[in-house]
């Protein structure tokens, strides 16, 4: 529903050691959404995208360039020749 719900879920997770442990491991987006719903937080895919956008807006230009370079290196291994 909103970034506020996502922020509230993450704050809740910090108070629950078992939940925090689950979130410390990589999760598929759908698994994260299901976990949030199980704890009473109404989240959607759009909320995850909005959170990612919010975090990227906080990054410096140098950090964004570094990330783009890392991604380009990863993609280069898939290009034949």
């Amino acid at each position: 529903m909103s970034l506020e719900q996502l922020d509230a879920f993450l704050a809740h997770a910090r108070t629950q050691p078992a939940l925090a442990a689950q979130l410390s491991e990589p999760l598929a987006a759908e698994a994260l959404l299901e976990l949030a719903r199980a704890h009473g937080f109404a989240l959607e895919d759009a909320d995850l995208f909005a959170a990612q956008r919010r975090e990227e807006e906080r990054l410096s230009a140098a950090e964004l360039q570094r990330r783009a370079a890392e991604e380009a290196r990863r993609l280069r291994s898939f290009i034949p020749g």
Side-chain angles (χ1 to χ4, degrees):
M1 290 296 203
S2 68
L3 281 174
E4 290 79 20
Q5 281 285 298
L6 179 58
D7 292 338
F9 171 62
L10 295 175
H12 170 73
R14 286 190 284 276
T15 67
Q16 307 290 319
L19 180 57
Q22 285 181 291
L23 293 177
S24 69
E25 298 296 322
L27 288 174
E30 190 55 41
L32 176 63
L33 295 175
E34 287 177 20
L35 192 57
R37 289 182 198 123
H39 285 268
F41 295 88
L43 297 178
E44 298 176 3
D45 286 336
D47 302 322
L48 301 180
F49 293 128
Q52 184 177 19
R53 206 171 28 252
R54 176 179 67 182
E55 291 304 311
E56 288 177 351
E57 287 172 355
R58 294 177 179 172
L59 298 175
S60 68
E63 177 61 18
L64 289 171
Q65 283 183 324
R66 186 188 64 74
R67 287 183 176 194
E70 287 176 5
E71 184 67 18
R73 281 198 270 322
R74 272 194 294 271
L75 292 174
R76 209 174 309 142
S77 66
F78 292 109
I79 300 172

